[in-house]
Amino acid sequence: MFARSAKHAAPVRRLRRLGRVRAPARGFIMGYILFALTVLGIVVAVLSRINEAEAETKWVNDGVIRIRENLQTVRIQLITCSALLGASDGSGDVMFPPQADPETPTPLATLQCPQGTEPAIGLFDGSSGVFPPAPPRGFTPFVYINNFNDYDPDNGEEAVWVETSVSTSPGAAVLNRVRLTAAGPDTEITTLGDGSTRLRFFIARRADGAPS
């Protein structure tokens, strides 16, 4: 019986020795796996940020194109109306569509071009195939302001313009890019009290009683 126990003692010792050897190996493998998972997480986070940055850059570029197209549409409609108004009264004076309420900006959808005794023409109501320009998501709809034709030298510069505003950083980047790529005097960027950014696009301006 003692001989049998001695016979099996060696394998048991070998198994124990193997156990002592494999435990550090398992710890090393687990450490390697955890390290690999950490590196993978970092790589995924970096790639995610890169994708987000690329998406934001594309959104800004698309927004600049959209806003510039919007402003071009507005300019064409208002200059066309101005030409019609000047021709209709025979004075040759530069005229622009009046506001229904001079104290309140006029939504483009309701802006009309007077035609003397004829019915006024809706400039952006779709009747002529032109609808209010749709700025990118997050921007306020364009509104129209005309204090050009009620000029008062005591009030300084008088002008006719449209404006939109946005409260996000990418939106502000869009407006600043538009400002840099548009004709300098035609645009004005202002940071408002609530932190939003406003773009004014001038159709006509004059100061000190000078004609535009």
Side-chain angles (χ1 to χ4, degrees):
M1 182 172 181
F2 289 104
R4 188 175 180 181
S5 297
K7 180 180 178 181
H8 293 283
V12 171
R13 286 195 294 271
R14 282 198 299 272
L15 287 173
R16 287 174 179 170
R17 284 199 297 270
L18 287 173
R20 287 196 296 270
V21 172
R22 288 174 180 171
R26 285 197 298 270
F28 173 78
I29 292 172
M30 288 301 297
Y32 179 79
I33 291 173
L34 290 174
F35 174 76
L37 290 175
T38 301
V39 172
L40 179 61
I42 293 172
V43 170
V44 170
V46 170
L47 290 176
S48 176
R49 290 192 186 97
I50 291 174
N51 290 336
E52 289 175 0
E54 289 178 346
E56 182 173 305
T57 298
K58 183 180 185 304
W59 188 87
V60 169
N61 290 337
D62 291 346
V64 171
I65 293 171
R66 173 82 71 82
I67 291 289
R68 293 184 68 181
E69 289 175 347
N70 290 167
L71 297 179
Q72 182 66 11
T73 298
V74 169
R75 185 199 292 272
I76 290 172
Q77 289 296 95
L78 293 179
I79 292 298
T80 299
C81 177
S82 177
L84 292 174
L85 289 173
S88 65
D89 69 2
S91 66
D93 292 340
V94 178
M95 301 288 291
F96 290 95
Q99 291 177 245
D101 179 1
E103 302 300 322
T104 305
T106 303
L108 292 185
T110 64
L111 189 62
Q112 294 187 324
C113 186
Q115 298 296 298
T117 59
E118 300 296 322
I121 299 174
L123 291 176
F124 300 96
D125 64 357
S127 59
S128 61
V130 180
F131 293 88
R137 177 175 48 84
F139 289 76
T140 60
F142 285 99
V143 292
Y144 170 83
I145 298 93
N146 178 6
N147 60 1
F148 184 88
N149 297 127
D150 296 319
Y151 180 67
D152 179 359
D154 294 334
N155 290 332
E157 181 183 71
E158 302 293 317
V160 54
W161 69 88
V162 294
E163 65 184 43
T164 183
S165 62
V166 66
S167 59
T168 64
S169 296
V174 169
L175 295 185
N176 280 290
R177 284 269 301 279
V178 170
R179 172 70 179 85
L180 291 174
T181 56
D186 290 345
T187 55
E188 178 182 277
I189 295 286
T190 304
T191 301
L192 303 178
D194 61 1
S196 61
T197 303
R198 180 184 66 197
L199 171 74
R200 282 184 171 177
F201 180 69
F202 293 93
I203 307 302
R205 306 173 81 174
R206 63 183 172 187
D208 299 327
S212 69

